[in-house]
Amino acid sequence: MASTAPPDHADNAPLLPDVELNLARSKEPVTGRLVGSDLCMNGKSASFVRHIAVDVSGTVLAGRVRPGQSLGVLAPGLDARGKPHKVRLYSIACPAWGEDGQGQVLSMTVKRDLAEHPPDKQAEGPDDHRLFVGACSNFLCDAPLGTQIQLTGPAGKAFVLPQDPDRHHFLFVAAGTGVAPFRGMLRELFERPEGPVRSRVSLVTGSPYRTDLLYHDAFCALAERHGNFDYAQAISREEGPEGHGEYTHHLINRRMHHYRTLLQDPRTLLYVCGLDGMQTGLFRTLAFHGLAHAYVTVPADLAGTDPNQWPDREVRRGLKPTPRTFLEVY
Ligand code: NAP
């Protein structure tokens, strides 16, 4: 049931580093060069997600971005209205030192946007079911190595690792490509020059099918190497341990015996990235287990009532993340 315990986040609010913003704007993008394009699903999947690496050496972006920030990409050509494509944002999926160790090669996790209906105002009515092919994601995924990529950014300053990660523990919760920033953050935590972080770090990812899991082998290998890191997968469209598919918050609820100590620790930070709406189930689950107050403020009219009955609208409107919760959902 929802806890009315006083907030305990004040003393444990993380100190965030200063980050640079908008070094390259859309009127003056920089030009990078595609140097890597690899599928990063877990075998044969019905979706296509690529780990895209871009060399930005010689540009203002080199060495000046962090995981958790985003890069903007300007696809070449014109949109259906004859206007230049708008900037599309992708999370930085590498550590601050890039894929090359020098911050010159930056990476993103790009899923081809393909749907059987135009999911925008161009739709010509309910019978219009032509294939919609997203301009930017498909440009990036089609591009051969060497292609010039127009980039802007970095954007975002609030979804980053704290200045002193050793003072905190971490629960990272991702849906689909929302795992992109966590790939970069995990590499920062475990591959930094001063040696791996000794804090406890948990990653929970959600995917429709096991074949959609992203960077799965790399996360498994990380868990093999580091006893303080664990990795769990919530698969929504396959039969799970309870006989049905599950979302990330269902998995956390089912395995609360595993996560409780981490979530109860006053030094733990919660990072959530992916689909807008995934946070509501998670906040309800935390509240149900009496763990919400550290991560969200619960309004007086909901406190003391059954969190499982809280309507989505009320959760979205009423529950506010504390400084120990980081949300990046679209
Ligand atoms: P996806 O492969 O479809 O996986 C999303 C998973 O989340 C599915 O298993 C889905 O289940 C499940 N899900 C649906 N509703 C949920 C809910 N309310 N709570 C918890 N889980 C839920 O994901 P995707 O297509 O990659 O989309 C990921 C999202 O992350 C997009 O909105 C994207 O904009 C955003 N994002 C992307 C980046 C990036 O850099 N590319 C960075 C940050 C965020 P079912 O489909 O079976 O219902």
Side-chain angles (χ1 to χ4, degrees), residues 24-106:
R25 294 177 184 271
S26 50
K27 288 211 169 96
E28 278 182 276
V30 300
T31 303
R33 192 170 50 89
L34 186 73
V35 293
S37 178
D38 299 289
L39 290 170
C40 54
M41 305 90 64
N42 184 28
K44 278 192 183 171
S45 162
S47 62
F48 301 96
V49 185
R50 284 188 170 266
H51 183 70
I52 295 284
V54 183
D55 184 341
V56 296
S57 52
T59 77
V60 283
L61 295 177
R64 294 172 72 181
V65 306
R66 286 173 183 265
Q69 292 190 288
S70 301
L71 291 175
V73 177
L74 285 159
L78 303 175
D79 66 16
R81 282 167 246 168
K83 300 225 165 97
H85 291 292
K86 294 212 172 82
V87 169
R88 298 293 198 281
L89 293 179
Y90 297 95
S91 290
I92 291 163
C94 58
W97 53 82
E99 297 291 345
D100 60 328
Q102 310 293 322
Q104 311 287 313
V105 177
L106 306 180

Side-chain angles (χ1 to χ4, degrees), residues 47 49 89-92 108-111 175-181 206-209 212 214 234-237 246-249 273-281 328-330:
S47 62
V49 185
L89 293 179
Y90 297 95
S91 290
I92 291 163
M108 300 169 273
T109 310
V110 181
K111 180 175 187 178
T177 48
V179 78
S207 289
Y209 301 98
D212 297 318
L214 303 175
I235 307 299
S236 59
R237 301 185 200 169
E246 59 184 4
Y247 286 167
T248 44
H249 62 276
C273 187
L275 291 171
D276 189 19
M278 66 181 290
Q279 72 277 24
T280 58
E328 185 88 350
V329 290
Y330 309 109

Side-chain angles (χ1 to χ4, degrees), residues 135-153:
C136 195
S137 62
N138 286 290
F139 157 67
L140 284 170
C141 290
D142 285 350
L145 298 189
T147 301
Q148 297 203 328
I149 313 280
Q150 304 280 87
L151 296 169
T152 67

Side-chain angles (χ1 to χ4, degrees), residues 67-238:
Q69 292 190 288
S70 301
L71 291 175
V73 177
L74 285 159
L78 303 175
D79 66 16
R81 282 167 246 168
K83 300 225 165 97
H85 291 292
K86 294 212 172 82
V87 169
R88 298 293 198 281
L89 293 179
Y90 297 95
S91 290
I92 291 163
C94 58
W97 53 82
E99 297 291 345
D100 60 328
Q102 310 293 322
Q104 311 287 313
V105 177
L106 306 180
S107 60
M108 300 169 273
T109 310
V110 181
K111 180 175 187 178
R112 284 186 186 272
D113 187 3
L114 300 168
E116 212 197 32
H117 55 88
D120 62 22
K121 298 187 188 85
Q122 295 294 306
E124 286 174 11
D127 296 331
D128 184 355
H129 53 262
R130 292 167 299 161
L131 184 65
F132 170 83
V133 180
C136 195
S137 62
N138 286 290
F139 157 67
L140 284 170
C141 290
D142 285 350
L145 298 189
T147 301
Q148 297 203 328
I149 313 280
Q150 304 280 87
L151 296 169
T152 67
K157 60 179 180 179
F159 195 83
V160 291
L161 284 176
Q163 202 162 298
D164 184 358
D166 294 290
R167 289 199 59 232
H168 299 279
H169 302 292
F170 300 88
L171 174 57
F172 297 131
V173 185
T177 48
V179 78
F182 301 144
R183 176 187 181 270
M185 290 179 184
L186 287 166
R187 290 192 59 190
E188 286 214 348
L189 293 173
F190 287 99
E191 295 174 21
R192 58 191 190 169
E194 64 267 44
V197 73
R198 274 183 274 184
S199 319
R200 188 163 158 210
V201 186
S202 289
L203 170 67
V204 179
T205 62
S207 289
Y209 301 98
R210 293 202 73 78
T211 49
D212 297 318
L213 289 167
L214 303 175
Y215 308 114
H216 181 64
D217 290 346
F219 295 143
C220 289
L222 196 68
E224 283 277 305
R225 278 200 303 278
H226 301 282
N228 55 333
F229 171 65
D230 65 84
Y231 163 51
Q233 310 92 45
I235 307 299
S236 59
R237 301 185 200 169
E238 292 178 21

